[in-house]
Amino acid sequence: MIKLPIRTRRISITHMSAADLKDYEKLISQPEIAAGAGFNLVSNQKMLTEVAKRQISHPMTLGLRIHDHLAGAILLYEQIDQNGFPDEANLEMSYFLDPVYWNQGFMTEAADQLTQVLKHDPTVKTVNAEVFTDNLASKALLNRLGFEMTTTVTDPIIGRKKAIFKLNLA
């Protein structure tokens, strides 16, 4: 679906591999990332390692690299349609970045490059993203990329409000 790597002057987006496991675990163990992505709900390190392995093995878990260092990730998954089947035309995107790199435009650059590539894929019609309503930086990022907020929901597990954003590619 997506031809990788995607490179800019500052970043590269690549497939992830087992070699990234330790760096990925470090990322998802950081309190800011864990709370935002739900990794803080994983009860022990062994389970967190298994979650990390499963995510890394998914072909659409993409590594965001800065100076060849794994600094974040963008995960794309098919939405589940009303019949319970994966819908490859409509993707869900989630992302996170090492807090050291926050507010420097790295994730905006990566997400922009990725959505530009997806716009040229005739099989993908929409990309959706969920963000906590108090995550102003992430909401601003999605707005800059042309996503439109469609609704808000309360996360059933955490009990926090999320905004649902949608980008029409077709």
Side-chain angles (χ1 to χ4, degrees), residues 23-42:
D23 289 336
Y24 192 74
E25 282 185 89
K26 282 182 195 175
L27 280 172
I28 65 176
S29 296
Q30 292 187 43
E32 301 92 338
I33 293 172
F39 296 115
N40 60 331
L41 302 174
V42 178

Side-chain angles (χ1 to χ4, degrees), residues 21 25 42 44-54:
L21 181 61
E25 282 185 89
V42 178
N44 63 56
Q45 187 60 44
K46 185 175 180 179
M47 287 177 64
L48 188 67
T49 298
E50 291 306 312
V51 167
K53 285 179 184 176
R54 183 173 300 154

Side-chain angles (χ1 to χ4, degrees), residues 4 14-22 24-25 28 48-63 65 70 73-78:
L4 296 176
T14 66
H15 286 291
M16 301 263 275
S17 72
D20 293 311
L21 181 61
K22 288 207 182 303
Y24 192 74
E25 282 185 89
I28 65 176
L48 188 67
T49 298
E50 291 306 312
V51 167
K53 285 179 184 176
R54 183 173 300 154
Q55 286 186 343
I56 285 175
S57 70
H58 190 278
M60 294 305 290
T61 297
L62 310 175
R65 299 177 193 281
L70 184 66
I74 300 174
L75 296 82
L76 293 171
Y77 292 96
E78 299 94 356

Side-chain angles (χ1 to χ4, degrees), residues 111-125:
D112 179 53
Q113 290 297 308
L114 187 57
T115 56
Q116 294 304 317
V117 168
L118 290 172
K119 285 179 182 178
H120 296 294
D121 184 337
T123 64
V124 180
K125 305 297 180 215

Side-chain angles (χ1 to χ4, degrees), residues 34-43 130 132 153-162:
F39 296 115
N40 60 331
L41 302 174
V42 178
S43 62
E130 297 180 6
F132 290 115
V153 297
T154 300
D155 185 292
I157 297 172
I158 304 172
R160 289 177 60 195
K161 287 216 176 273
K162 287 184 171 181

